[in-house]
Amino acid sequence: RNLFFVNEMIKKEVRVFSRSPEDGSLRYIKALTLPSVPDNIHFDSESGDLYVQTFPSFFRAALAMQKPVKEAVRVPGASLIFKNKGGAADGASMEYGERTIDHFLHDGSVLNFPTGFTRFGPLTLIGSVGATKGVMLCRDI
Protein backbone atom coordinates (compact mmCIF):
# COMPACT_ATOMS: atom_id res chain seq x y z
CA ARG A 1 0.00 0.00 0.00
CA ASN A 2 1.40 3.39 -0.93
CA LEU A 3 -1.28 5.82 0.26
CA PHE A 4 -2.02 6.79 3.88
CA PHE A 5 -4.73 8.94 5.45
CA VAL A 6 -4.45 10.49 8.90
CA ASN A 7 -7.34 12.24 10.62
CA GLU A 8 -6.53 15.46 12.43
CA MET A 9 -9.38 15.95 14.89
CA ILE A 10 -8.37 19.37 16.23
CA LYS A 11 -7.97 20.91 12.76
CA LYS A 12 -11.01 19.09 11.28
CA GLU A 13 -9.11 17.61 8.36
CA VAL A 14 -7.74 14.42 6.83
CA ARG A 15 -4.12 14.51 5.74
CA VAL A 16 -3.07 12.51 2.69
CA PHE A 17 0.42 10.98 2.41
CA SER A 18 2.11 8.79 -0.18
CA ARG A 19 4.75 6.20 0.74
CA SER A 20 7.92 5.77 -1.26
CA PRO A 21 8.33 2.16 -2.47
CA GLU A 22 12.11 2.62 -2.37
CA ASP A 23 12.72 3.62 1.24
CA GLY A 24 9.25 3.69 2.87
CA SER A 25 9.37 7.40 3.63
CA LEU A 26 6.14 9.40 3.68
CA ARG A 27 5.48 12.45 1.52
CA TYR A 28 2.73 14.90 2.45
CA ILE A 29 0.30 15.43 -0.45
CA LYS A 30 -2.51 17.59 0.92
CA ALA A 31 -5.07 18.17 3.66
CA LEU A 32 -8.77 17.59 3.01
CA THR A 33 -10.82 20.12 4.99
CA LEU A 34 -13.91 18.81 6.81
CA PRO A 35 -16.97 20.60 8.17
CA SER A 36 -16.68 18.71 11.46
CA VAL A 37 -14.42 16.44 13.54
CA PRO A 38 -13.29 13.24 11.73
CA ASP A 39 -13.49 9.85 13.39
CA ASN A 40 -12.95 6.78 11.23
CA ILE A 41 -11.74 6.66 7.64
CA HIS A 42 -12.39 4.02 4.97
CA PHE A 43 -10.51 4.00 1.65
CA ASP A 44 -12.15 2.27 -1.33
CA SER A 45 -9.19 0.70 -3.11
CA GLU A 46 -11.20 0.14 -6.32
CA SER A 47 -12.58 3.66 -6.88
CA GLY A 48 -10.10 5.64 -4.80
CA ASP A 49 -12.97 7.30 -2.94
CA LEU A 50 -12.41 8.19 0.70
CA TYR A 51 -15.20 7.78 3.27
CA VAL A 52 -14.98 9.79 6.49
CA GLN A 53 -17.34 9.47 9.45
CA THR A 54 -17.55 12.74 11.39
CA PHE A 55 -19.14 14.16 14.53
CA PRO A 56 -20.93 17.45 13.83
CA SER A 57 -20.90 18.04 17.60
CA PHE A 58 -17.64 16.97 19.19
CA PHE A 59 -18.90 18.21 22.56
CA ARG A 60 -21.83 15.75 22.45
CA ALA A 61 -19.48 12.92 21.44
CA ALA A 62 -17.12 13.70 24.33
CA LEU A 63 -20.05 13.91 26.75
CA ALA A 64 -21.42 10.57 25.55
CA MET A 65 -18.08 8.87 26.25
CA GLN A 66 -18.47 9.55 29.97
CA LYS A 67 -19.79 6.35 31.56
CA PRO A 68 -22.58 7.81 33.73
CA VAL A 69 -24.05 9.78 30.81
CA LYS A 70 -23.36 7.41 27.91
CA GLU A 71 -26.90 6.29 26.98
CA ALA A 72 -28.65 9.59 27.72
CA VAL A 73 -26.73 11.71 25.19
CA ARG A 74 -27.74 11.55 21.53
CA VAL A 75 -24.70 11.97 19.24
CA PRO A 76 -25.38 13.01 15.63
CA GLY A 77 -23.22 11.87 12.75
CA ALA A 78 -22.28 12.81 9.22
CA SER A 79 -20.94 10.36 6.66
CA LEU A 80 -18.88 12.21 4.05
CA ILE A 81 -17.41 11.04 0.75
CA PHE A 82 -14.40 12.51 -1.02
CA LYS A 83 -14.67 11.41 -4.65
CA ASN A 84 -11.47 10.48 -6.47
CA LYS A 85 -11.39 12.80 -9.48
CA GLY A 86 -8.08 11.49 -10.74
CA GLY A 87 -6.88 8.19 -12.15
CA ALA A 88 -6.24 4.77 -10.65
CA ALA A 89 -6.61 4.23 -6.91
CA ASP A 90 -2.87 3.75 -6.45
CA GLY A 91 -2.15 7.24 -5.18
CA ALA A 92 -0.04 8.29 -8.15
CA SER A 93 -2.74 10.19 -10.04
CA MET A 94 -5.51 10.54 -7.47
CA GLU A 95 -7.05 13.94 -6.91
CA TYR A 96 -9.65 14.86 -4.31
CA GLY A 97 -11.82 17.93 -4.58
CA GLU A 98 -11.99 20.32 -1.67
CA ARG A 99 -15.72 19.78 -1.24
CA THR A 100 -17.21 16.70 0.31
CA ILE A 101 -20.43 14.98 -0.60
CA ASP A 102 -22.70 14.88 2.45
CA HIS A 103 -23.75 11.32 1.95
CA PHE A 104 -25.66 10.83 5.17
CA LEU A 105 -26.46 13.26 7.96
CA HIS A 106 -28.65 12.42 10.96
CA ASP A 107 -29.42 13.50 14.52
CA GLY A 108 -28.51 10.24 16.27
CA SER A 109 -32.10 9.13 16.89
CA VAL A 110 -31.91 6.11 14.58
CA LEU A 111 -28.30 5.15 15.28
CA ASN A 112 -26.60 6.92 18.15
CA PHE A 113 -22.88 7.77 18.03
CA PRO A 114 -22.01 6.58 14.49
CA THR A 115 -18.29 5.89 14.21
CA GLY A 116 -17.69 4.51 10.73
CA PHE A 117 -19.24 3.56 7.42
CA THR A 118 -18.54 1.80 4.16
CA ARG A 119 -20.29 1.39 0.83
CA PHE A 120 -21.39 -1.71 -1.08
CA GLY A 121 -22.80 -0.53 -4.42
CA PRO A 122 -26.04 1.34 -3.62
CA LEU A 123 -25.87 0.38 0.07
CA THR A 124 -24.25 2.24 2.96
CA LEU A 125 -23.45 0.37 6.17
CA ILE A 126 -23.00 2.60 9.24
CA GLY A 127 -21.72 1.30 12.56
CA SER A 128 -21.71 2.68 16.06
CA VAL A 129 -19.31 2.24 18.95
CA GLY A 130 -21.96 2.27 21.64
CA ALA A 131 -25.33 1.75 19.99
CA THR A 132 -27.58 -0.89 21.42
CA LYS A 133 -29.27 -1.27 18.02
CA GLY A 134 -26.09 -2.35 16.21
CA VAL A 135 -25.70 -1.07 12.65
CA MET A 136 -27.76 0.81 10.10
CA LEU A 137 -28.06 -0.24 6.45
CA CYS A 138 -29.24 2.45 4.02
CA ARG A 139 -30.06 2.21 0.31
CA ASP A 140 -29.41 5.08 -2.14
CA ILE A 141 -32.56 6.77 -3.39
Side-chain angles (χ1 to χ4, degrees), residues 84-133:
N84 173 16
K85 295 180 175 184
D90 61 2
S93 58
M94 293 174 64
E95 179 184 329
Y96 293 103
E98 289 303 316
R99 296 203 174 264
T100 59
I101 296 172
D102 295 334
H103 183 68
F104 190 80
L105 178 63
H106 62 94
D107 66 0
S109 60
V110 176
L111 184 67
N112 194 23
F113 212 141
T115 55
F117 81 108
T118 191
R119 302 265 303 149
F120 301 98
L123 301 175
T124 300
L125 181 67
I126 302 173
S128 170
V129 72
T132 55
K133 295 181 182 179

Side-chain angles (χ1 to χ4, degrees), residues 26-62:
L26 293 179
R27 180 179 64 85
Y28 173 80
I29 298 174
K30 71 184 302 183
L32 305 172
T33 304
L34 303 171
S36 53
V37 177
D39 188 24
N40 285 311
I41 303 169
H42 171 74
F43 175 69
D44 184 329
S45 59
E46 290 182 20
S47 68
D49 294 346
L50 184 66
Y51 307 138
V52 183
Q53 183 66 44
T54 68
F55 298 123
S57 173
F58 184 71
F59 173 75
R60 292 184 71 79

